[in-house]
Amino acid sequence: MFIHLGGDTVIRSKDVVAILNSDMKESSGITKEFINAHFKANYVVQISEEMTKSIVITNEKVYYSPISSVTLKRRAQVVSELESYAD
């Protein structure tokens, strides 16, 4: 299944590694280093000009989303529940 991250960006739910509040990028040295390394490697996708509310980490990219982490986590949970019913 898929999760809409804002704008025209939709990703596969199984590719999501983590959904973080945007404040988390400054809270830890390791997180900051991880984000900076992906930014330098051009693996960061800024979805919208709007304020970044969450950071979605996948196996290949890091997405800056204008949708709150709480909303994205809720969407991911709904997708997970739908997938478990399909099995």
Side-chain angles (χ1 to χ4, degrees), residues 1-5 11-20 55-58 67-85:
M1 298 231 111
F2 298 92
I3 300 173
H4 178 249
L5 301 181
I11 61 171
R12 293 185 328 184
S13 58
K14 70 179 186 175
D15 292 340
V16 175
V17 174
I19 300 172
L20 308 173
I55 299 170
V56 179
I57 300 171
T58 68
I67 299 173
S68 77
S69 59
V70 173
T71 300
L72 291 175
K73 286 178 184 177
R74 199 172 317 136
R75 289 179 184 179
Q77 184 177 9
V78 168
V79 167
S80 176
E81 288 173 5
L82 289 174
E83 286 176 341
S84 68
Y85 289 125

Side-chain angles (χ1 to χ4, degrees), residues 10 15 17 24 26-27 32 35-36 41 45 47 50 53 63 67 75 78-79 84 86-87:
V10 178
D15 292 340
V17 174
M24 293 298 292
E26 299 297 325
S27 68
K32 194 175 191 178
I35 299 288
N36 287 338
V45 177
I47 294 173
E50 295 177 45
K53 294 182 181 175
Y63 296 88
I67 299 173
R75 289 179 184 179
V78 168
V79 167
S84 68
D87 292 335

